[in-house]
Amino acid sequence: MSSAPAVDSQLLCQLEDVKKSYPMGDLLVQALKGVSVGITAGEFTAFAGPSGSGKSTILNLIGCLDRPSSGRVLLEGKDVATLGDAELGDLRARRIGFIFQSFNLIPVLTAYENVELALRLAGAPEKGQREVVQEALRSVGLADYMTRRPAQLSGGQQQRVAIARALVKKPALIIADEPTANLDSKNGAAILDLMKTMNAENRTTFLFSTHDAMVMERARRIIRLADGEIVSDDAAGPAAAGA
Amino acid sequence: MTRLALLRRARSMLILGLAVRNLFRNTRRTVITSGAVVFGVALQVLGWGLVDGLDDNFLRAVSTTTTGDILLRPPEYPTDGLSYPLEEAAAPPALTGFSGEAASRVLFSARVVHKADAARAVGVAYDPDQDYRVFPRERWRVQGVWPDAGQSQVALGDALGRLLGVGVGDEVVVQARTVDGAQNALSYTITALVHTDNGQLDNTAVWLRMDAADALLQLQGRRTHLSLHVGTLEDAAVVRDRLQAAGAFTGPDGKLWDAKTTREEAADMLAINDIRRRAILMLVGVIMAIAATGIANTVIMAAYERVREIGTLLALGMKRRDVSLLFLTEGAMLGLGAGSVGAAIGTAGVLYWQFNGIVLGEETMKATGNLPVSAIIYTHFNWGPVIGSLVFSALVAIFASVQPARFASRLNPADAVRAD
């Protein structure tokens, strides 16, 4: 089942009949089978579903990490299929933040440098960079850990650095792929609450892929996938309902 | 500075910074990989310094003892340096138009006899008023004094003296043919044993003043060698050509004397050194090929180990060409870093031996036979091999990094960010 695109004048991202297939050996695996969905600015949305349902593939496409086999992916009105590698890179650098399941920090850089890296790749002016990076780390509670390398930080702290890295450039969209999967429940909840605060304070759009009930509890919208198709789109998730 | 230029500079600094950090990520592996480059570059710089030093050694040995800057011989005189036919001796040219120092000599085959012992020798008849102006003797070691005018006195090369078991004050008989081919033999007192630092002379020379040689050889004003001192070796060819064109080398009999610069005289030995240089280059080439394999292996391993990191950099917006540049920079820095260490080691060695010299042992000097080689070799530092080997090592490292860089830059970020 494919849901209709969200009707909103502030549509940040739109997928129109998007299909994605991967070669696997001699087979062609259909990861997405014609998905259409719209994401409005400021959403806190979870893509949920079992492994292989296509939730990571959707995030890859929205995050401009991959291109659809057919259909259109529009980000801020731009069809990403028409953009070259360099333009996609620019788009990712300036408009999209990523939070990964395994944190994906650069091990040879300190917490400060990891966050700064995102700003430098976004081409932010050097002037004032230090204050912005320090503020980002302060906002995730790591003011005292700036000079530590990832190996010297706990999993929860690493994910906080990743959040600061994603937020520091003030992107329109943050894509979080199973952000709590490698954290214990206490750290996971804290990370989610932090992201929710950022979402509320900055109106930054958060998209998650997850099968963690804790994430789904906090999401305002849950889009469920199975076998490459959207099977439900709960625009008013438990969090929204409770709000 | 424009915004674009600022961005480019910032990107370059970012890539450089990351490359430096990555090189020290696995220090042990980096050090091991660098080893071959360090060895290859050090060998090249040191080897080159040594062979350049051998060139200097040989040129110095011949120019300060036998050739001067330009050596003239009679027209038919052999130039192989192995035979000294006195019958080819001729009256020397007047050197009209030449304002530098000149010294004439007569070299002849001789036999030196002391009691029951005898040795083949090369007689060197010199004009003392001229000779020291072309061949400064400050660095020669003379045990005794040079022969006096009008006396039956000779000086012997110190090694020849040792061979015959003679010393200062001993009597020897010198046998030789006169200019006209007649056998002659005269008795002389040895006044000095001379060490010129030219093994050829020290092993074989019997030094006689020209007046003493006249009595033995009946020279009648003829000479076999005329040496000119013109200043630097580099000036010699120009001066020779100019003087030759002006007819300064034409003898009184109208025949043109053959004129060669020291470098031309030494061409055979210098050619041998060129072969040594090629051998060093080949050896360095093999070592650098091994180094390239090591660097390629290291950078490939780095690329495979860092797939997720590369994916993250791409996800954060790093351009593919910058990812490629990052790996090429890592390779180049590895090559340049290791090359610099190798060049520093090689340079230190070259400079040390440039000032202290490498003293060839007695056995080594014996092995050089009658070659005009100095007993001390001073290495010769020049920037060419240092810069050349640094550029070479960087190029080798960059070349070895091309394939890993291509692999890294072509990764699909969607897959790479989730790699194990």
Side-chain angles (χ1 to χ4, degrees):
Chain A
M1 172 188 157
S2 299
S3 69
V7 180
D8 196 301
S9 58
Q10 289 183 307
L11 210 58
L12 176 69
C13 169
Q14 196 166 8
L15 274 68
E16 293 177 358
D17 193 24
V18 170
K19 293 176 183 167
K20 179 69 185 176
S21 49
Y22 299 103
M24 190 176 283
D26 294 336
L27 297 172
L28 202 62
V29 176
Q30 281 253 302
L32 291 178
K33 299 171 181 170
V35 169
S36 297
V37 68
I39 305 293
T40 310
E43 281 195 25
F44 201 73
T45 295
F47 287 88
S51 294
S53 59
K55 53 188 190 301
S56 291
T57 306
I58 280 194
L59 290 190
N60 285 345
L61 295 172
I62 295 173
C64 301
L65 293 176
D66 213 348
R67 295 168 195 271
S69 303
S70 68
R72 294 207 304 165
V73 177
L74 301 171
L75 189 68
E76 295 183 314
K78 283 182 200 157
D79 183 352
V80 299
T82 63
L83 302 178
D85 266 354
E87 290 167 302
L88 284 178
D90 278 339
L91 199 57
R92 288 196 298 269
R94 294 195 167 89
R95 304 299 291 156
I96 306 171
F98 290 92
I99 299 168
F100 300 101
Q101 178 181 340
S102 303
F103 322 132
N104 287 35
L105 299 178
I106 307 298
V108 291
L109 301 180
T110 63
Y112 176 91
E113 289 164 338
N114 264 286
V115 177
E116 186 192 36
L117 177 66
L119 271 188
R120 294 176 76 175
L121 287 171
E126 281 180 39
K127 196 178 174 186
Q129 227 174 61
R130 175 175 289 275
E131 290 73 24
V132 174
V133 173
Q134 286 173 344
E135 179 51 35
L137 281 163
R138 244 191 307 276
S139 71
V140 296
L142 290 178
D144 297 331
Y145 297 86
M146 292 190 193
T147 56
R148 294 205 185 174
R149 291 200 174 180
Q152 299 167 309
L153 297 170
S154 69
Q157 288 170 331
Q158 287 189 50
Q159 198 60 303
R160 282 168 188 270
V161 175
I163 292 170
R165 183 178 66 184
L167 281 168
V168 72
K169 57 191 178 187
K170 298 192 175 15
L173 171 66
I174 287 182
I175 287 175
D177 185 14
E178 307 266 13
T180 57
N182 282 346
L183 300 176
D184 59 36
S185 57
K186 188 180 163 199
N187 267 312
I191 291 292
L192 284 169
D193 290 340
L194 179 63
M195 289 197 275
K196 194 142 193 199
T197 306
M198 301 295 178
N199 169 252
E201 285 178 357
N202 306 326
R203 292 279 297 159
T204 308
T205 307
F206 278 79
L207 298 182
F208 303 90
S209 72
T210 189
H211 46 249
D212 183 347
M214 192 164 59
V215 178
M216 286 185 267
E217 277 169 22
R218 285 168 172 76
R220 274 198 292 275
R221 180 182 178 191
I222 299 170
I223 300 168
R224 292 181 192 279
L225 292 124
D227 296 328
E229 292 179 303
I230 294 176
V231 292
S232 74
D233 184 353
D234 175 11
Chain B
M1 201 181 273
T2 63
R3 177 167 164 71
L4 190 63
L6 279 171
L7 279 175
R8 278 193 186 140
R9 197 193 69 170
R11 213 174 64 209
S12 304
M13 295 307 292
L14 173 66
I15 290 170
L16 267 177
L18 277 174
V20 170
R21 297 287 181 91
N22 287 330
L23 277 181
F24 291 102
R25 181 187 291 237
N26 193 331
T27 311
R28 186 182 297 178
R29 189 163 70 196
T30 302
V31 168
I32 290 171
T33 305
S34 305
V37 179
V38 171
F39 181 62
V41 171
L43 180 72
Q44 181 169 353
V45 173
L46 205 51
W48 218 263
L50 182 61
V51 177
D52 281 354
L54 282 172
D55 277 359
D56 291 350
N57 174 295
F58 185 70
L59 289 172
R60 188 182 64 241
V62 295
S63 70
T64 60
T65 58
T66 58
T67 64
D69 298 331
I70 299 170
L71 179 65
L72 280 77
R73 296 184 185 91
E76 305 300 325
Y77 200 87
T79 57
D80 56 11
L82 300 174
S83 56
Y84 307 94
L86 210 50
E87 61 271 24
E88 301 297 346
L95 300 176
T96 312
F98 176 62
S99 57
E101 302 293 347
S104 60
R105 284 181 174 177
V106 174
L107 269 60
F108 58 97
S109 297
R111 185 176 155 85
V112 183
V113 182
H114 173 69
K115 297 178 182 170
D117 295 322
R120 288 169 61 87
V122 176
V124 181
Y126 61 93
D127 183 335
D129 293 336
Q130 302 169 347
D131 212 70
Y132 75 93
R133 292 185 181 147
V134 177
F135 305 110
R137 296 176 178 177
E138 291 84 2
R139 296 177 72 171
W140 298 8
R141 291 199 303 274
V142 180
Q143 183 192 337
V145 293
W146 287 95
D148 283 331
Q151 304 294 316
S152 293
Q153 296 175 339
V154 292
L156 295 189
D158 61 347
L160 178 62
R162 280 196 300 276
L163 181 71
L164 288 169
V166 295
V168 173
D170 286 339
E171 296 285 325
V172 289
V173 172
V174 178
Q175 301 174 347
R177 287 184 185 277
T178 66
V179 167
D180 300 324
Q183 283 281 6
N184 200 1
L186 291 173
S187 180
Y188 297 91
T189 304
I190 299 170
T191 62
L193 295 176
V194 179
H195 181 86
T196 62
D197 212 18
N198 174 342
Q200 186 181 30
L201 287 177
D202 299 339
N203 286 334
T204 62
V206 183
W207 298 86
L208 300 88
R209 292 174 64 104
M210 200 59 83
D211 55 344
D214 237 343
L216 178 68
L217 307 170
Q218 309 294 311
L219 291 169
Q220 303 157 30
R222 298 184 213 179
R223 302 289 182 265
T224 60
H225 292 75
L226 188 54
S227 299
L228 311 186
H229 176 63
V230 297
T232 65
L233 293 176
E234 278 62 40
D235 294 335
V238 177
V239 174
R240 186 267 317 271
D241 292 346
R242 180 171 54 77
L243 290 173
Q244 195 158 291
F249 298 157
T250 305
D253 55 1
K255 290 183 178 172
L256 180 66
W257 279 44
D258 177 62
K260 282 194 166 66
T261 65
T262 303
R263 220 166 252 288
E264 289 164 351
E265 281 291 322
D268 289 347
M269 283 293 281
L270 297 181
I272 290 170
N273 284 344
D274 277 339
I275 293 169
R276 290 192 176 109
R277 282 191 189 88
R278 280 198 286 273
I280 290 170
L281 273 184
M282 278 178 64
L283 188 60
V284 169
V286 170
I287 293 168
M288 292 307 256
I290 295 168
T293 312
I295 291 169
N297 187 44
T298 295
V299 184
I300 284 171
M301 281 169 72
Y304 277 101
E305 282 169 2
R306 283 157 45 193
V307 166
R308 191 164 73 193
E309 201 175 306
I310 297 161
T312 305
L313 290 172
L314 289 169
L316 292 176
M318 184 176 267
K319 305 281 190 299
R320 289 186 184 280
R321 67 165 185 274
D322 288 345
V323 170
S324 179
L325 201 56
L326 174 62
F327 278 85
L328 291 176
T329 305
E330 285 178 29
M333 290 177 90
L334 186 63
L336 264 181
S340 300
V341 173
I345 292 171
T347 301
V350 170
L351 290 177
Y352 176 80
W353 282 305
Q354 183 167 311
F355 290 107
N356 296 298
I358 301 168
V359 181
L360 301 180
E362 208 167 306
E363 291 305 312
T364 311
M365 282 309 288
K366 277 182 190 164
T368 62
N370 287 339
L371 290 174
V373 176
S374 165
I376 302 178
I377 293 172
Y378 294 93
T379 49
H380 180 136
F381 175 78
N382 75 59
W383 284 103
V386 175
I387 293 167
S389 57
L390 278 177
V391 171
F392 183 52
S393 57
L395 287 178
V396 164
I398 290 172
F399 176 73
S401 307
V402 167
Q403 186 54 34
R406 188 177 292 177
F407 161 80
S409 67
R410 287 181 178 179
L411 286 172
N412 176 7
D415 298 329
V417 290
R418 292 179 185 83
D420 292 329

